[in-house]
Amino acid sequence: MAPQVRDGVRSHDLTASFNVQRPSSVSRCKRCLLPSSVPGADLDRGGVCAFCRNYRPGIDPAGEEVRARWRNDLERAFQAARGKGPYDALVCLSGGKDSLDLLHRAKIDYRLNVLAFTTDVNLPRVAWSSIHLAVRKLGVDHLVYRPADDFYRRIFRYLLRNQEERGAVYTVSYVYAPLFEGDALAVATERGIPLILAGYSPGQPEPERMEYEFSRKLICETDWTPPGLRESGEFTAAELARFWNPHRFPAGTQFPRYLAPFHAWDYDQEEVMRRVHELGLVARRAHASPVHSNYPINWLLMYSDLRHFGYNPYAPEFAALIRSGKANRLYWWFMAPFVDFMIRRKVLLGRHTTDQMRWLGLQEDELRITRRRGAYDPPGLAPA
């Protein structure tokens, strides 16, 4: 069935057949496992994608110079934060491998007085199990913010029915993430905590939005309210006030820095998974896998994008990690098609798709792309 056109964007009809197939040796890059359906993949006759053909292994001198500068800055930031507030740093804790490892490094390796902070929305049981275990083991204070569930239910529902052209994961993630990032900023600002640390791995979020640190302009001058939500008329001013807006604070307010240390440190996904298990921050080795600690809503987002685009939206990210030697190729050789199988069939962890559809009161034909690219990107916060 031909895609429909609405507001100048091709809107794929999700009642069409689901033609995504299990990747084979010729349907994904034999080196980095990037699916051939990813734009720009351009697999050659040998099954190697364009990104791998153009990739030059080894250290990029310019990139290493930048990372060295970030590492030096991070050390200075830790020193500058000591004793400047009730806590030296607020660590965003989601229960995933990276946030658990970051909490341990900040508390144990750097001996910072940290406050672990969690926004309790759509976290899976596995993540909560790891959060409770890590907080007890490390002996850190933990603040949990539990916003009204109905607001998130309505915002997820609206966004999935009105996705921008980059699909569900992009649309929802770049509205959802600024909400909990704003929660962390508000708590740190109100409590006088000078530093926020987030467990974003290299490549997260998109580099145009953040590399190592949110800019001072974004934190100190920018209203993060997505214009597409403001224009929708679906949400009250009080609800939209959940998004970060520094202009609500008195003149002269001191705002914290917001850093992503894994952008500066050497990063290896497999090593992080191994480390958090050996440190006893997860109950089982499998709980360190992003497959198990994933937000339940993300299974629905991946389902929608698989049906729209024919590939898992996280495939390019993991392919880039494999390409640079930061993720285990053998692990993802088996796991990537298995994840897609679970999503397509809505079985095992893929059952979250059905559960989230029921929670949101959505039918499959409502998962539509209807908005232009950038419809929800606040000025100054938008990736290119």
Side-chain angles (χ1 to χ4, degrees), residues 123-378:
L123 293 177
R125 291 181 180 177
V126 165
W128 272 117
S129 172
S130 300
I131 287 171
H132 294 319
L133 184 61
V135 167
R136 287 197 303 269
K137 187 174 185 66
L138 296 174
V140 299
D141 292 343
H142 183 211
L143 177 64
V144 179
Y145 172 48
R146 293 189 170 93
D149 187 70
D150 181 65
F151 170 67
Y152 279 89
R153 185 187 65 80
R154 289 191 299 108
I155 207 167
F156 290 156
R157 176 182 166 85
Y158 177 82
L159 291 171
L160 282 166
R161 297 176 73 194
N162 298 276
Q163 300 171 37
E164 69 119 279
E165 63 182 274
R166 283 168 285 192
V169 166
Y170 187 94
T171 300
V172 175
S173 295
Y174 281 96
V175 171
Y176 183 32
L179 276 169
F180 60 72
E181 290 162 348
D183 294 337
L185 279 166
V187 168
T189 299
E190 292 165 0
R191 295 185 174 224
I193 303 173
L195 200 57
I196 299 172
L197 305 178
Y200 289 130
S201 62
Q204 295 180 326
E206 292 196 0
E208 293 82 2
R209 184 169 181 262
M210 179 194 199
E211 278 192 305
Y212 171 64
E213 178 174 14
F214 277 122
S215 73
R216 298 311 293 166
K217 181 176 181 180
L218 284 179
I219 291 177
C220 303
E221 302 177 23
T222 306
D223 178 357
W224 291 15
T225 309
L229 292 187
R230 192 192 304 277
E231 296 159 6
S232 72
E234 297 285 330
F235 305 95
T236 67
E239 289 172 330
L240 294 177
R242 281 289 319 282
F243 290 93
W244 174 253
N245 185 350
H247 302 296
R248 297 193 188 102
F249 291 85
T253 297
Q254 296 297 308
F255 297 114
R257 295 183 69 185
Y258 200 122
L259 308 180
F262 287 118
H263 288 210
W265 294 330
D266 291 337
Y267 182 83
D268 184 300
Q269 184 185 71
E270 187 70 18
E271 174 63 17
V272 172
M273 292 168 62
R274 181 196 62 79
R275 188 163 54 236
V276 296
H277 180 236
E278 291 185 354
L279 290 170
L281 304 179
V282 293
R284 296 171 50 201
R285 176 66 165 75
H287 291 183
S289 168
V291 174
H292 290 272
S293 61
N294 211 348
Y295 289 95
I297 191 67
N298 232 353
W299 292 90
L300 175 55
L301 307 185
M302 290 188 288
Y303 178 82
S304 179
D305 283 354
L306 269 170
R307 296 196 63 173
H308 275 109
F309 307 126
Y311 64 90
N312 193 303
Y314 291 102
E317 175 186 329
F318 289 116
L321 290 174
I322 293 168
R323 196 177 303 123
S324 61
K326 296 177 181 178
N328 187 310
R329 179 183 176 278
L330 182 61
Y331 176 84
W332 288 109
W333 174 266
F334 291 102
M335 185 58 72
F338 183 53
V339 167
D340 289 354
F341 171 81
M342 290 191 288
I343 295 169
R344 292 165 51 207
R345 300 291 184 179
K346 302 176 185 175
V347 297
L348 302 175
L349 291 170
R351 293 176 62 185
H352 286 304
T353 298
T354 302
D355 295 340
Q356 295 296 294
M357 291 274 285
R358 186 180 302 115
W359 175 51
L360 299 175
L362 287 174
Q363 301 298 317
E364 290 194 14
D365 62 0
E366 295 181 274
L367 302 174
R368 291 186 177 274
I369 294 174
T370 66
R371 304 297 296 273
R372 291 186 177 88
R373 184 184 183 96
Y376 302 105
D377 294 336

